[in-house]
Amino acid sequence: MFVFYNIVISALFLLFLPLSLLYVFCKTEFLVKEYLERLGFYPECFRHYIKEAKKEKKDLLWIHAASLGEIKIATDIVNGLKEKHRDLSFIVSTNSSAGRQMAEMLFGPEKAILIPLDLPWIIKYLVEMVRPKFAIFVEFEARPNFIHLLSKTGSKLVLINGSLDNKILKDYDYFPGLLAKTLRKFNLLVMKTAEEGEKLKNLGIEQNKIEVTGNIKMDNSLKTVDEKKIKSLKERLKIPDNAEIIVAGSTHSGEEELIFKIYREIKREVENVVLILAPRHIERTKRIKLLGEKYQLKLVERTKIEEIDGWLKEDEIIILDTMGELADLYSIATIVFVGGSLVDKGGHNLFEPVVYGKPVLFGPFIQDFKESAELLLEHQIGIMVEDENDLKMKILALLNDKEQQQFIYRKASELLKEEKNFRKKCINLIEEFLILDKKESK
């Protein structure tokens, strides 16, 4: 089945290569660099870091984290393991340019790369150059060649926060038997739920490889922010202290237009409301600004907000064009909408605003975060909306109901008080695995 898989993806690659080359080289230098990394061409600083780690005979850990949410989990893993394994070198790979930018900020450009296409002749070069002793996957993805080649070079493979969602199963359905064969390459599989663990058993994975910890992304406690800090953050953003703030986080193409449309209508009923828009991909900022003009709205970049004299004007919206600030902005929100859910993108992390006790609204396309959505709906913290009109009505209802806002804050506090420690359990499992492997290697 590996042979059939490789024939199919190679044929698709060759089919679309001419068009993709034409598209990329007509774009920015940034996009060209990203494209080259997808083909396995990495900067000198990365190659030098690997060479030095090999020269010093350090154990090398490779963490693969799909995007921004997984990068944050990777940070906790690195920090947790470095406390007891100071001689451990590591690299972090990711699928998205946003994830790579965040990884570069957190770990340095020499340790952060975009994962290349899952073509055997491309990924093989990278795996053989790095040859990590351990590889940790934060959530499971359809990358059979990557996983197979890591295992073949002798790397020990660990999956954390694992689940087999419908998208993954659909991808592997085209290649019967490939999913089970790929999962058997892992030495340890740490799953989100007992149900996910059962799925592995049904695929023939040995029980002694499976652990269940819970969803790491839900492992948090309620964060209380000092009123002075909130006031200071609002002042820096030129937002009046009495303003109601709507934060639309991780939005995608097709959602911004809907948000602009209903925002104009909301402003007619609630005068002191301010919108902060945080697109999932900040490179879309210019296009979104042009779109805002269509609705007589002026979008002010976060990086240029200091240039404004006085407070934001009636027609001004803040657009977040920086990395790593969204979670802090949730702290000053009255209401949060999480994007990727009114268009079919599968949704994004719903728990980031919950840790501040904020009402979380999301659309029907939340399949990648189904478990989180169901939990928030059950605890009356999350609100699912069907379309833009429903979103407008739900926002207006919440803005005019302070008691409901307080009720949601209390429900969030109750939910997050439950003792979870999912991340700590997960790091402990990884550490036990590393120690056991070292004993067996002696």
Side-chain angles (χ1 to χ4, degrees), residues 57-266:
K57 295 183 178 179
K58 289 185 175 182
D59 288 341
L60 194 56
L61 170 68
W62 187 336
I63 302 177
H64 178 64
S67 194
L68 287 170
E70 291 75 32
I71 290 290
K72 290 172 184 174
I73 295 172
T75 308
D76 289 343
I77 293 166
V78 168
N79 292 339
L81 294 178
K82 289 287 278 185
E83 285 179 14
K84 295 184 181 177
H85 304 271
R86 296 189 181 279
D87 60 337
L88 196 68
S89 293
F90 68 92
I91 63 166
V92 177
S93 61
T94 180
N95 284 343
S96 71
S97 53
R100 197 267 303 274
Q101 285 175 292
M102 176 65 79
E104 284 183 346
M105 284 169 54
L106 293 169
F107 310 120
E110 75 283 0
K111 299 187 184 83
I113 59 169
L114 278 172
I115 196 72
L117 300 171
D118 197 47
L119 292 161
W121 67 87
I122 294 177
I123 194 72
K124 184 180 181 182
Y125 168 75
L126 179 62
V127 169
E128 289 188 347
M129 177 176 66
V130 178
R131 283 187 172 270
K133 187 162 187 181
F134 307 101
I136 297 174
F137 286 70
V138 185
E139 302 195 357
F140 185 65
E141 290 188 299
R143 291 189 170 272
N145 280 318
F146 182 33
I147 293 164
H148 171 72
L149 288 164
L150 280 169
S151 178
K152 193 176 178 181
T153 58
S155 300
K156 301 294 184 183
L157 274 63
V158 177
L159 171 66
I160 64 168
N161 218 41
S163 69
L164 301 178
D165 61 33
N166 291 333
K167 186 175 180 293
I168 289 170
L169 295 174
K170 188 178 177 182
D171 288 341
Y172 276 96
D173 274 348
Y174 296 109
F175 309 99
L178 186 59
L179 178 59
K181 191 171 182 179
T182 302
L183 286 165
R184 287 192 194 103
K185 303 292 182 186
F186 283 90
N187 303 87
L188 175 66
L189 298 114
V190 183
M191 308 303 285
K192 290 180 183 179
T193 64
E195 182 186 351
E196 296 297 337
E198 286 300 317
K199 288 180 186 177
L200 293 183
K201 291 179 198 173
N202 294 336
L203 287 166
I205 308 302
E206 301 94 314
Q207 173 67 51
N208 64 347
K209 286 186 175 183
I210 304 168
E211 296 282 353
V212 177
T213 58
N215 188 342
I216 299 173
K217 287 182 179 176
M218 291 160 46
D219 185 13
N220 266 304
S221 56
L222 194 72
K223 293 180 181 178
T224 53
V225 184
D226 185 88
E227 285 298 321
K228 287 181 181 177
K229 287 184 179 178
I230 290 177
K231 188 173 182 179
S232 173
L233 180 53
K234 285 181 178 180
E235 284 176 357
R236 291 202 306 275
L237 295 172
K238 312 291 183 174
I239 298 173
D241 194 43
N242 66 338
E244 305 283 6
I245 301 170
I246 303 168
V247 176
S250 298
T251 59
H252 286 257
S253 177
E255 290 181 315
E256 289 94 5
E257 187 162 11
L258 302 178
I259 290 165
F260 293 155
K261 182 181 174 184
I262 67 169
Y263 180 64
R264 297 290 301 178
E265 296 169 6
I266 289 168

Side-chain angles (χ1 to χ4, degrees), residues 17-27:
L17 181 61
L19 281 175
S20 62
L21 282 170
L22 183 64
Y23 173 77
V24 167
F25 287 99
C26 289
K27 295 292 180 178

Side-chain angles (χ1 to χ4, degrees), residues 258 262 342 363-364 384-393:
L258 302 178
I262 67 169
L342 275 178
M384 183 181 285
V385 299
E386 293 301 317
D387 51 35
E388 75 257 37
N389 187 58
D390 194 22
L391 177 61
K392 181 188 80 171
M393 299 308 293

Side-chain angles (χ1 to χ4, degrees), residues 31 44 50 57 101-102 105 109 192 197 207-208 223 237 239 263 292 306 330 336 341 349 371 378 425 429:
L31 198 57
E44 177 58 33
I50 297 298
K57 295 183 178 179
Q101 285 175 292
M102 176 65 79
M105 284 169 54
K192 290 180 183 179
Q207 173 67 51
N208 64 347
K223 293 180 181 178
L237 295 172
I239 298 173
Y263 180 64
E306 286 81 7
Y330 284 147
V336 173
S341 60
N349 190 349
E371 180 193 348
E378 179 189 337
K425 288 177 190 174
L429 281 169

Side-chain angles (χ1 to χ4, degrees), residues 291-403:
L291 182 64
E293 289 174 9
K294 181 180 168 184
Y295 291 89
Q296 291 79 52
L297 295 168
K298 183 183 178 184
L299 276 72
V300 182
E301 293 100 321
R302 168 66 182 92
T303 52
K304 296 178 180 177
I305 200 81
E306 286 81 7
E307 297 172 13
I308 292 178
D309 292 326
W311 303 114
L312 284 171
K313 297 179 178 63
E314 280 292 304
D315 62 344
E316 289 180 328
I317 290 171
I318 297 172
I319 183 166
L320 191 64
D321 61 339
T322 58
M323 300 291 298
E325 277 195 291
L326 180 57
D328 288 339
L329 295 181
Y330 284 147
S331 70
I332 62 171
T334 309
I335 295 166
V336 173
F337 167 73
V338 177
S341 60
L342 275 178
V343 293
D344 195 359
K345 295 293 182 181
H348 292 292
N349 190 349
L350 302 174
F351 264 78
E352 284 187 333
V354 173
V355 300
Y356 293 105
K358 306 300 180 179
V360 183
L361 284 70
F362 48 86
F365 299 105
I366 203 73
Q367 58 270 22
D368 292 353
F369 293 84
K370 185 169 175 273
E371 180 193 348
S372 300
E374 288 174 350
L375 188 68
L376 295 183
L377 290 169
E378 179 189 337
H379 284 78
Q380 298 173 277
I381 300 164
I383 300 168
M384 183 181 285
V385 299
E386 293 301 317
D387 51 35
E388 75 257 37
N389 187 58
D390 194 22
L391 177 61
K392 181 188 80 171
M393 299 308 293
K394 294 290 196 317
I395 288 174
L396 283 170
L398 280 166
L399 288 175
N400 292 310
D401 193 342
K402 295 297 179 186
E403 285 187 14

